[in-house]
């Protein structure tokens, strides 16, 4: 090899080494800025996360307040509906009591004139327990036994409810 070629190779090596050394120094100086930027980004992201956390906590608190308000309104509505139901029930009971009192006073006269039967399984089951006799139009019993053919009516005639017995 020639002397000039050796010089060219040496100069190329020196230039390439110098450029590599300059790049290395610039990289080292920039490295501290990269770390500072990442610290600033971490602080910015931590503030963003904390603000997001605060917003979420505030929203959940408002939702909890609304939920408690809804539960309270529901309980009040159920109580009001229950109170209305009970007052309506009491009114109906008063109406029924007053109408049954009127019925009881009017039926007391009817009950004293109606004959009474005993409900035992002895042979005297169809006989009148009181000293009054049944009216002539009321049968002593109605035969409701199932038969072949047309069905028999098993209806106690009106006014004979306490007099006529149904035989099954």
């Amino acid at each position: 090899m020639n002397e000039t070629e050796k010089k060219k190779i040496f100069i190329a090596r020196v230039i390439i080494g110098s450029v590599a050394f300059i790049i290395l120094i610039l990289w080292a100086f920039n490295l501290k800025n990269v770390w500072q930027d990442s610290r600033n980004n971490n602080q910015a992201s931590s503030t963003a996360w904390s603000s997001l956390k605060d917003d979420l906590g505030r929203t959940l608190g408002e939702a909890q307040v609304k939920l408690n308000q809804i539960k309270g309104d529901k309980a009040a509505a159920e109580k009001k509906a229950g109170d209305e139901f009970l007052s309506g029930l009491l009114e109906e009971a008063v109406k029924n009591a007053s109408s049954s009192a009127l019925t009881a006073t009017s039926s007391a006269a009817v009950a004293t004139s109606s004959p009474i039967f005993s409900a035992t399984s002895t042979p005297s089951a169809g006989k009148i327990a009181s000293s009054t006799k049944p009216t002539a139009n009321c049968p002593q019993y109605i035969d409701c036994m199932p038969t072949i053919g047309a069905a028999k009516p098993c209806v106690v005639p009106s006014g004979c409810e306490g007099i006529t017995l149904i035989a099954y």
Side-chain angles (χ1 to χ4, degrees), residues 13-26:
R13 285 184 181 171
V14 169
I15 292 174
I16 291 174
S18 329
V19 170
F21 183 70
I22 291 172
I23 290 174
L24 184 65
I25 289 174
L26 290 175

Side-chain angles (χ1 to χ4, degrees), residues 141-147 151-156 164-168:
Y141 67 91
I142 295 176
D143 183 17
C144 289
M145 295 294 290
T147 59
K152 295 179 186 177
C154 287
V155 179
V156 176
T164 304
L165 297 176
I166 297 176
Y168 290 104

